[in-house]
């Protein structure tokens, strides 16, 4: 039999152990639309079930530009969050500042090296050490459509080439509806732009022009054709597109006001959160001319160095949870993306996700798998920002000639 004092001591040990294990995780993210909020709520649930306190630090703004600005000021003032949604080359830039925590203990225990495609693992590491945990794989080169609108306009199926696309867009226009739902923000302009470049020039050209920023490719006839096609797409958008959030553009498609949207598969998360059925209410297809290519966008969380041991433990648990099978499935079912963890069952996923999963594997073999520039996966943030601005200027101002647009993009590409 325990004496009361022994029992009290035992209880105290248990309580202390629990307290040492629980911690607060402040998580900076920009998942604020309907589908996104549902997705991140799943991560919060998992962390709370492990006894941790989730401090939500959501900064609205699609594509994450606002979140990046807020993050900088928090880190500069010496008060970083535990984790922040950072991706691509920006992970390397933050790690080089010496502010990111080393996640190797978790990565080793959970065998991340064998569970991740190498292209993804490399982005998560700085000088060989894991500093970020990947969440998903989003495909960016998608085109979404409202099935009822296409039917009403007499469009027989999803257009496969840009010529077919413009013919379909003309029919939608003639039916009195908006052919392309667009949100005029520079990352959305570029999301459309990179799909056009990929469709017009193919993956090798995309890579030369937008990733290697090769001067010859940027001055080529293929680039000229890309800008002409891009400008033509704009003529099918509505006059109120400027500044519109991406999810409001998706809503226009849902509400049968518009036919198509060029957007990554987080748009599917929006359709699903609104109770719409893939293949029935809304359709997905690769953007015209891009069926054999795949622009990838991997969301990830980098962890910042923290002093508190409870917070450190919570960070480790967050990293492990993110790569766990439970989270990878439920999060990606909601988010519209596919699991980044290899060998996961796709049984519960819809046909858009199954296509994405198959194409991710196939294009990795053929060279069609390329990182998305619009979504911060390919080039350093400074050049990316400059090119996005040049592309948006061209999109917004029809007086800028194609030749000048090309020159402006080439100039922006030289930004260090
Ligand atoms: C992110 C997605 C997010 C989208 C809209 C993309 O850059 O990768 O997770 O849903 O922006 O904010």
């Amino acid at each position: 039999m325990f004496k009361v004092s022994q029992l009290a001591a035992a209880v105290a040990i248990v309580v202390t152990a629990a307290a040492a294990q629980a911690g607060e995780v402040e998580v900076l993210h920009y998942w604020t639309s309907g589908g996104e909020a549902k997705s991140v709520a799943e991560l919060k649930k998992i962390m709370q079930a492990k006894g941790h306190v989730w401090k939500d630090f959501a900064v609205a703004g699609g594509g994450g530009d606002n979140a990046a600005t807020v993050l900088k000021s928090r880190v500069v003032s010496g008060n970083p969050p535990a984790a922040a949604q950072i991706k691509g080359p920006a992970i390397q830039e933050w790690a080089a500042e010496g502010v990111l925590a080393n996640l190797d203990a978790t990565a080793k225990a959970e065998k991340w090296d064998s569970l991740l495609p190498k292209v993804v693992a490399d982005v998560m590491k700085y000088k060989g050490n894991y500093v970020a945990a990947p969440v998903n794989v989003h495909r960016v080169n998608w085109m979404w459509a409202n099935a009822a609108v296409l039917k009403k306009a007499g469009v027989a199926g999803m257009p496969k080439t840009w010529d077919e696309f413009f013919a379909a867009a003309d029919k939608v226009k003639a039916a009195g509806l908006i052919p392309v739902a667009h949100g005029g923000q520079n990352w959305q302009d570029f999301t459309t732009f990179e799909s056009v470049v990929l469709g017009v020039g193919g993956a090798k050209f995309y890579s030369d022009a937008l990733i290697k920023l090769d001067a010859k490719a940027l001055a080529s006839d293929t680039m000229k054709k890309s800008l002409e096609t891009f400008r033509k797409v704009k003529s099918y958008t509505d006059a109120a597109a400027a500044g519109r959030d991406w999810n409001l553009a998706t809503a226009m498609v849902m509400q049968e006001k518009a036919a198509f949207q060029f957007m990554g598969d987080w748009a599917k998360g929006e359709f699903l959160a609104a109770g719409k059925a893939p293949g029935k209410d809304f359709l997905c297809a690769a953007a015209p001319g891009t069926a054999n290519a795949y622009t990838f966008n991997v969301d990830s969380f980098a962890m910042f160095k923290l002093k508190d041991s409870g917070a450190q433990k919570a960070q480790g648990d967050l990293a492990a949870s993110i790569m766990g099978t439970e989270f990878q499935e439920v999060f990606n079912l909601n988010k519209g993306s596919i699991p980044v963890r290899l060998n996961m069952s796709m049984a519960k996923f819809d046909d858009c996700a199954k296509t994405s999963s198959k194409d991710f594997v196939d294009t990795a073999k053929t060279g069609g798998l390329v990182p998305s520039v619009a979504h911060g996966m390919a080039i350093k943030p400074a050049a990316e920002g400059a090119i996005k601005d040049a592309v948006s200027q061209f999109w917004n101002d029809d007086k800028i000639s194609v030749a000048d647009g090309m020159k402006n993009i080439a100039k922006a590409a030289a930004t260090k």
Side-chain angles (χ1 to χ4, degrees):
M1 249 322 244
F2 267 117
K3 282 194 193 143
V4 173
S5 60
Q6 279 175 325
L7 186 62
V11 168
I13 290 167
V14 171
V15 170
T16 323
Q21 290 202 334
E24 181 182 275
V25 267
E26 186 181 23
V27 183
L28 172 61
H29 63 89
Y30 46 94
W31 289 327
T32 55
S33 75
E36 292 173 332
K38 259 183 102 173
S39 314
V40 73
E42 296 295 341
L43 186 55
K44 178 178 172 177
K45 257 194 250 162
I46 292 175
M47 286 302 282
Q48 285 174 336
K50 290 190 174 176
H52 298 299
V53 176
W54 175 276
K55 193 167 171 198
D56 202 51
F57 185 4
V59 179
D65 291 343
N66 298 345
T69 307
V70 173
L71 177 64
K72 267 184 205 138
S73 69
R74 280 286 300 268
V75 179
V76 167
S77 65
N79 181 26
Q85 198 189 340
I86 306 175
K87 54 190 176 180
I91 295 175
Q92 308 300 313
E93 291 199 344
W94 278 110
E97 297 289 323
V99 289
L100 297 188
N102 184 323
L103 303 178
D104 280 351
T106 306
K108 228 176 160 183
E110 304 283 326
K111 305 195 171 59
W112 286 8
D113 272 342
S114 62
L115 294 174
L116 287 174
K118 191 169 178 311
V119 299
V120 175
D122 287 348
V123 179
M124 303 300 135
K125 289 178 185 176
Y126 178 67
K127 297 194 171 157
N129 305 120
Y130 278 99
V131 291
V135 168
N136 59 4
V137 180
H138 271 304
R139 185 182 201 174
V140 179
N141 61 314
W142 280 118
M143 177 173 65
W144 306 93
N146 182 303
V149 170
L150 294 195
K151 200 162 172 219
K152 198 164 160 189
V155 175
M158 290 294 256
K160 293 195 173 59
T161 63
W162 285 105
D163 286 344
E164 282 178 27
F165 172 77
F166 291 124
D170 281 334
K171 288 187 179 166
V172 176
K173 211 173 185 173
L177 294 162
I178 301 165
V180 179
H182 184 73
Q185 297 171 346
N186 76 354
W187 71 272
Q188 294 190 65
D189 299 342
F190 210 95
T191 295
T192 302
F193 180 66
E194 68 179 28
S195 284
V196 170
V197 171
L198 190 66
V200 169
K204 162 124 184 24
F205 178 74
Y206 173 99
S207 216
D208 288 344
L210 299 184
I211 301 177
K212 294 185 190 133
L213 304 174
D214 173 60
K216 244 168 106 188
L218 288 171
S220 66
D221 282 349
T222 311
M223 194 63 185
K224 181 168 173 268
K225 182 92 203 294
S226 301
L227 280 175
E228 286 164 358
T229 309
F230 181 55
R231 178 157 277 165
K232 195 163 176 194
V233 172
K234 189 203 163 181
S235 68
Y236 291 95
T237 61
D238 67 321
R244 177 187 288 138
D245 287 332
W246 68 271
N247 52 322
L248 300 182
T250 308
M252 289 165 65
V253 177
M254 272 186 229
Q255 294 158 4
E256 300 186 15
K257 290 183 183 144
F260 298 104
Q261 182 184 20
F262 295 101
M263 189 50 63
D265 38 23
W266 46 93
K268 193 185 77 185
E270 245 11 58
F271 284 111
L272 297 178
K276 305 288 177 193
K280 198 170 139 255
D281 302 321
F282 70 94
L283 309 172
C284 63
T290 73
N292 296 325
Y294 191 117
T295 36
F296 69 90
N297 170 25
V298 174
D299 284 313
S300 48
F301 282 99
M303 312 277 163
F304 284 82
K305 280 182 186 159
L306 298 177
K307 291 203 182 78
D308 179 71
S309 65
Q312 287 173 2
K313 170 76 173 77
Q315 278 181 324
D317 278 356
L318 179 66
S321 303
I322 285 173
M323 273 290 289
T325 49
E326 178 194 359
F327 171 77
Q328 288 280 322
E329 181 173 90
V330 72
F331 178 88
N332 288 307
L333 281 170
N334 283 292
K335 189 68 169 62
S337 37
I338 56 170
V340 67
R341 185 184 164 119
L342 295 169
N343 305 323
M344 291 266 310
S345 160
M346 291 300 289
K348 288 194 190 152
F349 287 82
D350 57 43
D351 286 347
C352 303
K354 284 181 181 140
T355 302
S356 175
S357 178
K358 182 179 182 303
D359 289 354
F360 183 68
V361 174
D362 290 353
T363 56
K365 289 180 197 145
T366 60
L369 183 65
V370 284
S372 163
V373 176
H375 295 278
M377 295 302 299
I379 57 177
K380 293 240 170 91
E384 183 194 311
I387 298 175
K388 278 183 177 165
D389 285 348
V391 165
S392 286
Q393 267 165 20
F394 176 79
W395 174 270
N396 289 326
D397 185 353
D398 289 344
K399 288 202 263 339
I400 300 178
S401 67
V402 167
D404 284 344
M406 287 169 71
K407 276 186 211 143
N408 294 342
I409 293 169
K411 209 169 135 206
T415 308
K416 290 284 174 245

